[in-house]
Amino acid sequence: MIKRFSIISSVFLFIAIFIQPIFSQQDSELAKNIITLDEKKLPRIPQLSSRDEVFKQFCDDVEFNYRQHAGGKQLNAQFYAYTAQKDDTLMKIAARCVIPYETIATANAIANVDDLLNGRTLVIPTFSGIFVCEQPASSIEILLEKKYALTIEKKSKTWYTIHDRLFYFLPGERFSPTERAFFLDADFKMPLDSFWLSSAYGMRKNPFSGDMQFHRGIDLAAPEGVPVYSCKGGSVTNCVYNNPVYGNYVIIRHNNGMESVYAHLSNIAVSTGDVILGRTQIGLVGQTGLATGPHLHFEIRVNGVSTDPSRLLPKR
């Protein structure tokens, strides 16, 4: 009898140890209240005009929520859908809707102020704040997720699924000066203060083999040790040392599937995972790898395909 009781006790002990965490995990998932938004089923604003009845209702909802927020009362979580037209910009849409641009941007995964919106269906909230993505993809989303991770853990678990992605909403929040500068950083900058173009983009004779090969970037000759800057804000995805061809090099991911590559560096001043602004120093000019002299090999890739950087950089 004692032996049988011991066996039963062992079974219950097994259940307590191994099954309870499963139920705890399920309870945790159930605690995350997820509201799924289908833009096809949302009230659709045909035009951002006071003559449009749907837009008038939208404006009334916005005014109501501003009053609710000022009084510390619960918001009416209403959303509308709007398809951006040819001349629409994020700033124009935000101004017409009286909703901060960062609210519309973070709800719709708009990574940068220069993102093209024509023909894109946007989900427009009737309240201000910031949407923080659970699985950030763009650099601005990474910045926000890092900033608010601990805050979100301590708050209630109401989330929104927008365009098949999961977001947590923080009412009343705005971009910090750093986040604002990052989001508004639309222009490309020169990666060097001064240089001369030693090799253009396209077919050229390989200086080592003498064979005709396609050169996927441009070579900017400059004295060894001068600073190299990021051409635009983004996330550092690779810092590689002692590559036999590129030597020491850095890859930065920007918005819209764009990457920039900086090769033959003598020194790297950033780390993988860093989120940086344009004109941040990322290293020093060198001649590591296959190089005939000190220079910066600079590439731009869009969705993995190289393009001529000289067409994107500002005129000197």
Side-chain angles (χ1 to χ4, degrees):
M1 188 71 179
I2 295 174
K3 184 177 181 181
R4 183 181 176 188
F5 179 78
S6 176
I7 293 173
I8 294 173
S9 300
S10 299
V11 171
F12 277 108
L13 180 61
F14 174 85
I15 292 173
I17 294 174
F18 293 100
I19 303 300
Q20 166 128 19
I22 296 175
F23 283 117
S24 298
Q25 183 177 0
Q26 289 175 343
D27 291 342
S28 176
E29 290 300 318
L30 290 173
K32 182 185 287 186
N33 180 32
I34 300 175
I35 300 172
T36 301
L37 301 177
D38 184 351
E39 60 266 26
K40 295 178 182 178
K41 298 180 180 179
L42 294 177
R44 182 168 292 274
I45 302 173
Q47 291 185 330
L48 301 178
S49 168
S50 58
R51 296 187 296 271
D52 183 86
E53 291 299 322
V54 181
F55 184 64
K56 286 166 62 176
Q57 180 60 53
F58 168 84
C59 293
D60 289 343
D61 290 342
V62 171
E63 183 179 354
F64 173 81
N65 277 327
Y66 275 123
R67 290 199 305 267
Q68 291 292 101
H69 184 69
K73 300 178 181 179
Q74 185 174 356
L75 301 177
N76 176 24
Q78 178 63 53
F79 294 79
Y80 288 72
Y82 172 69
T83 300
Q85 301 176 15
K86 182 179 179 181
D87 295 329
D88 281 334
T89 65
L90 175 63
M91 296 306 185
K92 286 182 180 179
I93 294 172
R96 290 293 297 142
C97 294
V98 199
I99 292 291
Y101 71 85
E102 51 259 70
T103 302
I104 300 172
T106 53
N108 293 278
I110 299 172
N112 193 272
V113 70
D114 64 347
D115 280 9
L116 298 177
L117 301 180
N118 183 31
R120 184 170 169 179
T121 298
L122 304 176
V123 169
I124 312 292
T126 56
F127 38 81
S128 66
I130 284 178
F131 290 83
V132 182
C133 189
E134 184 185 46
Q135 295 183 339
S138 67
S139 298
I140 189 67
E141 288 181 343
I142 293 171
L143 275 177
L144 294 173
E145 195 276 334
K146 288 182 177 179
K147 176 181 178 180
Y148 291 111
L150 292 178
T151 302
I152 292 172
E153 283 182 6
K154 298 176 182 178
K155 289 184 175 288
S156 60
K157 302 300 182 182
T158 299
W159 296 73
Y160 293 93
T161 299
I162 307 174
H163 303 306
D164 297 322
R165 303 178 72 211
L166 199 58
F167 294 87
Y168 186 87
F169 177 67
L170 293 165
E173 289 292 320
R174 302 292 300 268
F175 281 170
S176 68
T178 298
E179 292 152 3
R180 188 176 302 113
F182 191 93
F183 185 80
L184 299 176
D185 180 24
D187 298 326
F188 269 75
K189 283 87 173 175
M190 299 302 295
L192 295 174
D193 288 327
S194 60
F195 61 87
W196 62 275
L197 182 66
S198 59
S199 186
Y201 178 86
M203 293 299 298
R204 69 165 188 177
K205 183 180 290 187
N206 185 297
F208 293 95
S209 67
D211 298 332
M212 293 299 295
Q213 291 183 344
F214 193 87
H215 188 224
R216 301 184 185 279
I218 55 177
D219 288 346
L220 308 177
E224 185 161 1
V226 302
V228 176
Y229 304 101
S230 55
C231 66
K232 186 176 169 64
S235 304
V236 179
T237 58
N238 293 87
C239 293
V240 179
Y241 293 86
N242 302 317
N243 180 272
V245 178
Y246 278 11
N248 304 326
Y249 70 92
V250 171
I251 299 179
I252 301 174
R253 183 182 65 197
H254 311 287
N255 61 304
N256 298 327
M258 186 174 292
E259 291 180 325
S260 55
V261 182
Y262 312 77
H264 305 306
L265 303 175
S266 63
N267 170 269
I268 294 177
V270 291
S271 301
T272 301
D274 286 352
V275 179
I276 60 175
L277 292 170
R279 287 290 290 177
T280 297
Q281 183 175 333
I282 60 171
L284 302 175
V285 169
Q287 48 184 325
T288 56
L290 282 180
T292 56
H295 72 281
L296 173 68
H297 173 82
F298 179 60
E299 292 184 25
I300 295 292
R301 302 169 182 171
V302 179
N303 296 322
V305 180
S306 68
T307 188
D308 187 355
S310 60
R311 295 188 302 172
L312 301 174
L313 293 171
K315 302 299 181 184
R316 302 177 72 229

